[in-house]
Amino acid sequence: MATETDFEVVSAVLSAEPISVDQAIAAVESDTAGAVVSFSGVVRNHDGGKPVDRLSYSAHPTAHRTMSEVVAALVAEHSGEAQQPVRIWAAHRVGSLEVGDPALVCAVAAAHRGQAFAVCAELVDRIKAQVPIWKEQFFSDGTVEWVGAGE
């Protein structure tokens, strides 16, 4: 049977401001968590064999709501599985990012590592698959490519 305290969404947002793993971990840590698992998807300097200078992320006007709904659905599906609280933090950047900047950061704190790893991996996969965010890549040769648009 689910309890009100088995999952807590600390944050599930899109952010125009920088995000970090340290910020996410600090937000989910607790005395009941024996494991804190984090993911940071960072802007890399290449894609498809071409050098990348920077990226820009755009979000559909409903993306903020979709982000919350995606995390809420994950929580609803897993509610009742934890004997101790599981805390979740997730944020995706929008706007212009440079190489090395975190674009998607997630952290999950749970009593045990197996659950923390599983929930974090599922969280990242769902956000990437379901939240309407598009990436514009600016290559060193001056070309530009959209990723995710029209998918």
Side-chain angles (χ1 to χ4, degrees):
M1 179 174 186
T3 66
E4 290 182 21
T5 60
D6 66 344
F7 276 77
E8 177 187 357
V9 178
V10 177
S11 181
V13 298
L14 303 185
S15 176
E17 300 300 319
I19 56 177
S20 74
V21 168
D22 290 343
Q23 175 186 17
I25 289 171
V28 298
E29 287 179 319
S30 76
D31 291 343
T32 61
V36 177
V37 171
S38 63
F39 170 83
S40 181
V42 299
V43 177
R44 63 183 180 267
N45 68 355
H46 63 92
D47 190 45
K50 295 173 67 174
V52 172
D53 286 341
R54 63 185 173 85
L55 302 179
S56 181
Y57 283 95
S58 299
H60 189 274
T62 63
H64 292 277
R65 183 179 71 231
T66 304
M67 178 75 148
S68 294
E69 291 169 350
V70 164
V71 177
L74 182 143
V75 166
E77 290 170 27
H78 291 281
S79 188
E81 295 177 0
Q83 293 179 356
Q84 296 294 323
V86 174
R87 296 170 48 93
I88 296 171
W89 190 100
H92 199 300
R93 281 289 306 275
V94 292
S96 185
L97 283 79
E98 301 296 322
V99 171
D101 287 344
L104 172 60
V105 173
C106 298
V108 175
H112 302 286
R113 71 180 179 274
Q115 185 171 40
F117 274 114
V119 171
C120 192
E122 187 173 346
L123 178 64
V124 170
D125 289 345
R126 287 186 185 204
I127 290 168
K128 291 190 65 64
Q130 298 175 30
V131 180
I133 297 172
W134 305 283
K135 175 172 63 174
E136 186 177 14
Q137 298 188 110
F138 297 87
F139 294 103
S140 298
D141 65 5
T143 59
V144 176
E145 174 184 66
W146 281 92
V147 178
E151 292 180 1

